[in-house]
Amino acid sequence: MSDNGASSIPPQTFVECGICKGNANISWFCKNCPTSLCDACATTHRTTKQYKSHTIVERTYTVLRLFGPAKIAEQCEVHPEKDISSYCNDCDVPCCISCLVQNHQRHEISTIEDKYLDAERRLNVYYKQLDTDVRPTLDEMEDQAREDVKEDNFTVEKVINDINEFRKDFIQNFNRSCDDLITEVNQISKKTTEAFGGIEKSKKMIDSLKKEIEKKIERGRLDIIKYQPPKLESLIPTIKRRKKVDISFEPSMKILEVMKESVGKIEFKEIEREVVHKSKMLRSVHVQKLHSFDSEIDVTSMTTVGNNMAWVMDFSSPTMYLYNDEGKVVRSVTGEGSKGINDMAITQSGEMIVTCRDDKVRRVSVNGEVSTMIDTAPFDCYGVCVTDKQEIVVCMSEQGDENHVAVYSSDGRSKLREIRGRDGQGEHLITHPYRVLQNGQDLCVVNYGRNVVCVDERDNVRWVYDGKQAKLEESFYPRGICVDKYNNLLVTDIRNHCVHYIDREGRLIQVILTREQTGLMGHWGICVDDVTGHVWVGNPLKKVVIAKYLK
């Protein structure tokens, strides 16, 4: 502390000494010059004959304000005749002694010296990070960009030469290629139409019911008293909206694909550009809590259906609930005979595939009819997903070394294969499968409370994420998992009360949706609405939070 009670400002790396221009130990200030001084120059300044009359004091906010080059004279906005002396942390405003008495009694108050010191420390850290963190990243990105441009230019030149060389062969196959493309587009349209077949079926059922009711009323018989038509909600099918189909024709790429098929001269090389990709993702991550509500049950699993709605499940409840983003129950379904629901996936046609605690996988039709598809005993069935081939993938656990992920046919009658996750040494890394999803052609599996394992179509391990990249206080304890439209993964961490945002190669992008950002503890169930881009996160305390996580 200085004689006047002001806190001295520690040495700063971004402040220069007025004499030697160095930036080490800038702790002093000459009122006469006026300039900041390092320890060595302050000693020299005091002992040099021509400067002996100069007054050298500790470098503080008050000194800078009164004698610094800018001579900052900050008076109170409310009481202009008085200087700022304090800072109200509750109101986040500077104030004078009169303000303290009139408006800030019982508030948390800091001296203006301490507040200035904190701000200067913060800027000092930021200033250093510009050189230690940002500049090296920019340099790395610049070097990578130069290499990318060089390699891209070479690739483009080679492709152009190949195109010219094989132009004649391409023209001969042009009509066939166009026909194939038209067939492909028609197939996309056909799939989209088939996905909503349940709607037309429900409409026909409504027309039939109306005619039946009209006949009963027209006959005027007493049997209408006991007549109970189907529940209205059962007439509304559960349709999961397909992702928006962006159909476009790109001549250059289609030409290359046709040439590859016909002559095999063009090779595509996938180039990793990690620095640029990660930088873009970091710039786009921005968490904003939108809404929260209390659920009827604990939230151990969630599945979105689009349109700002999601199903909520609990392993100890036989009933699952469909909520809208205002927290209102839109629909509920109960699995008869089930002790609880572990997970649920939705097929292309809108049917729900549900894993239950009684070792049964059940199908819920678009009209709400529940039927048993698969008996997984002696295995407990946990996570489930439906692949783009409409295969049913189920996590099979609680049998020690026999645990695996099973792939079934779309009707559940045939077990096609088992996934165990073989590494380079032939070891099985899928040991406690709890949740599973498809990402591209890969399967990503959560080993309960341990890690996330990604395997390819041949059951080879592509990567393992163990949470160590995040450097959090507690060990990684994953529970829920979902994938967004960028093929990045969101994994809940129940111990660290957060979500790990991971790219498709198993690299951490950022820790998001923390307890501080969402007010949520014990993150478990999670899903992403691809239409709105909103993420839903729930916990075993019946709390659901809806948030944005990308700009």
Side-chain angles (χ1 to χ4, degrees):
M1 298 289 288
S2 62
D3 292 341
N4 62 4
S7 301
S8 61
I9 300 173
Q12 308 296 315
T13 59
F14 60 92
V15 178
E16 287 185 343
C17 172
I19 296 178
C20 69
K21 304 303 179 183
N23 56 17
N25 301 322
I26 314 296
S27 305
W28 306 95
F29 190 88
C30 177
K31 293 182 179 180
N32 303 84
C33 288
T35 190
S36 299
L37 301 171
C38 66
D39 290 348
C41 289
T43 300
T44 303
H45 210 63
R46 290 190 184 98
T47 57
T48 301
K49 183 176 181 180
Q50 68 185 96
Y51 301 126
K52 279 189 175 182
S53 63
H54 287 201
T55 302
I56 299 175
V57 296
E58 284 186 274
R59 185 175 177 275
T60 67
Y61 168 76
T62 301
V63 169
L64 291 176
R65 184 168 64 86
L66 297 176
F67 302 101
K71 292 185 175 60
I72 307 167
E74 297 194 45
Q75 278 77 38
C76 177
E77 293 183 0
V78 181
H79 307 94
E81 72 280 2
K82 296 188 178 181
D83 289 343
I84 296 296
S85 61
S86 304
Y87 199 93
C88 178
N89 295 314
D90 292 340
C91 301
D92 197 23
V93 294
C95 47
C96 68
I97 188 66
S98 296
C99 291
L100 291 179
V101 175
Q102 296 174 7
N103 303 315
H104 303 280
Q105 293 186 24
R106 299 180 183 177
H107 289 191
E108 181 183 345
I109 303 298
S110 298
T111 66
I112 199 66
E113 298 288 348
D114 290 340
K115 204 66 180 179
Y116 180 85
L117 179 61
D118 289 341
E120 195 167 69
R121 284 173 177 162
R122 173 174 52 82
L123 288 176
N124 177 49
V125 172
Y126 178 83
Y127 183 88
K128 293 171 66 177
Q129 288 177 332
L130 291 176
D131 283 329
T132 60
D133 296 341
V134 178
R135 188 175 295 278
T137 300
L138 291 176
D139 291 341
E140 185 178 354
M141 291 173 65
E142 185 178 26
D143 293 341
Q144 182 69 61
R146 286 198 182 97
E147 290 297 321
D148 293 342
V149 170
K150 182 178 178 181
E151 187 168 354
D152 286 350
N153 287 340
F154 174 80
T155 303
V156 169
E157 183 178 352
K158 179 180 181 300
V159 171
I160 291 174
N161 290 336
D162 290 343
I163 291 173
N164 288 326
E165 182 179 352
F166 296 102
R167 184 190 300 269
K168 184 181 295 185
D169 290 339
F170 165 72
I171 293 174
Q172 293 175 353
N173 291 298
F174 181 81
N175 289 332
R176 177 181 60 83
S177 299
C178 289
D179 291 340
D180 290 343
L181 287 174
I182 292 171
T183 301
E184 181 181 342
V185 172
N186 286 332
Q187 287 296 322
I188 294 173
S189 176
K190 182 179 179 182
K191 289 181 180 179
T192 303
T193 303
E194 291 175 351
F196 293 93
I199 296 176
E200 185 63 30
K201 185 177 179 181
S202 292
K203 285 184 176 180
K204 291 181 180 179
M205 184 179 295
I206 290 172
D207 293 338
S208 176
L209 278 171
K210 288 172 65 178
K211 290 179 180 179
E212 181 180 347
I213 292 170
E214 288 170 0
K215 288 182 179 179
K216 286 184 176 293
I217 293 175
E218 185 179 347
R219 286 199 303 264
R221 294 181 180 178
L222 294 180
D223 61 352
I224 67 170
I225 295 176
K226 293 185 178 182
Y227 174 68
Q228 294 292 333
K231 294 182 178 179
L232 293 177
E233 58 266 25
S234 69
L235 301 175
I236 303 175
T238 299
I239 298 294
K240 181 178 181 181
R241 289 195 65 188
R242 290 171 55 86
K243 296 180 180 178
K244 181 180 179 181
V245 179
D246 185 9
I247 306 175
S248 61
F249 176 58
E250 301 177 9
S252 60
M253 291 306 299
K254 293 301 178 182
I255 289 171
L256 296 180
E257 290 173 8
V258 172
M259 291 176 68
K260 181 180 179 181
E261 293 175 3
S262 59
V263 296
K265 291 292 184 179
I266 296 176
E267 295 181 357
F268 293 88
K269 181 179 179 181
E270 184 177 351
I271 304 173
E272 286 293 334
R273 296 176 178 176
E274 179 179 352
V275 175
V276 177
H277 168 72
K278 187 170 183 179
S279 173
K280 287 182 178 178
M281 290 308 304
L282 285 174
R283 288 199 300 270
S284 64
V285 173
H286 175 72
V287 174
Q288 179 185 355
K289 180 179 177 181
L290 301 176
H291 184 55
S292 65
F293 62 87
D294 293 327
S295 169
E296 296 286 334
I297 54 176
D298 294 344
V299 186
T300 57
S301 182
M302 305 179 79
T303 300
T304 179
V305 297
N307 296 322
N308 296 309
M309 294 189 292
W311 284 99
V312 171
M313 290 144 278
D314 173 25
F315 65 79
S316 61
S317 171
T319 301
M320 57 184 182
Y321 297 87
L322 179 64
Y323 285 92
N324 62 22
D325 59 354
E326 296 178 352
K328 295 180 179 179
V329 176
V330 178
R331 184 184 174 193
S332 63
V333 172
T334 299
E336 296 180 5
S338 171
K339 300 175 183 178
I341 297 175
N342 287 323
D343 199 16
M344 185 265 282
I346 300 177
T347 67
Q348 195 175 74
S349 62
E351 294 181 320
M352 294 182 284
I353 309 299
V354 183
T355 51
C356 304
R357 281 190 65 197
D358 59 352
D359 306 338
K360 300 289 193 304
V361 180
R362 291 181 168 86
R363 182 193 303 273
V364 181
S365 72
V366 294
N367 296 319
E369 299 174 354
V370 181
S371 59
T372 299
M373 294 182 64
I374 305 168
D375 187 339
T376 64
F379 294 94
D380 287 357
C381 51
Y382 285 113
V384 63
C385 74
V386 178
T387 70
D388 54 9
K389 298 178 181 178
Q390 297 303 292
E391 296 172 338
I392 299 171
V393 184
V394 183
C395 292
M396 314 283 269
S397 286
E398 307 302 335
Q399 292 298 315
D401 293 340
E402 298 300 316
N403 292 346
H404 63 278
V405 174
V407 182
Y408 291 90
S409 59
S410 60
D411 57 9
R413 296 177 181 176
S414 302
K415 188 174 183 180
L416 305 179
R417 59 189 180 277
E418 294 183 356
I419 305 295
R420 298 178 184 270
R422 295 193 308 269
D423 65 4
Q425 287 72 45
E427 295 291 329
H428 293 160
L429 300 188
I430 296 178
T431 56
H432 299 76
Y434 182 67
R435 291 288 184 264
V436 61
L437 59 77
Q438 185 182 36
N439 192 11
Q441 297 305 309
D442 300 331
L443 288 178
C444 298
V445 181
V446 173
N447 276 323
Y448 184 85
R450 290 163 175 81
N451 53 32
V452 180
V453 178
C454 177
V455 298
D456 62 19
E457 291 181 289
R458 297 183 178 180
D459 195 21
N460 296 314
V461 173
R462 291 193 60 242
W463 52 261
V464 177
Y465 179 80
D466 58 10
K468 293 181 180 178
Q469 300 175 38
K471 299 179 181 179
L472 298 175
E473 183 176 350
E474 299 289 340
S475 59
F476 181 48
Y477 209 89
R479 290 287 177 90
I481 187 171
C482 64
V483 61
D484 66 14
K485 61 184 177 181
Y486 302 104
N487 293 112
N488 296 321
L489 303 172
L490 293 92
V491 184
T492 56
D493 184 346
I494 194 169
R495 281 185 177 168
N496 292 288
H497 315 295
C498 65
V499 171
H500 297 241
Y501 191 36
I502 308 168
D503 71 13
R504 69 192 71 184
E505 300 301 324
R507 298 168 298 209
L508 176 68
I509 298 173
Q510 193 167 325
V511 173
I512 61 174
L513 300 164
T514 62
R515 176 168 52 182
E516 292 74 20
Q517 293 171 333
T518 63
L520 197 68
M521 293 183 62
H523 299 45
W524 197 320
I526 188 169
C527 63
V528 171
D529 188 328
D530 284 336
V531 178
T532 63
H534 297 167
V535 59
W536 297 49
V537 189
N539 70 4
L541 300 175
K542 302 182 179 179
K543 180 70 71 175
V544 175
V545 170
I546 304 174
K548 291 177 60 177
Y549 67 101
L550 294 176
K551 293 180 181 177

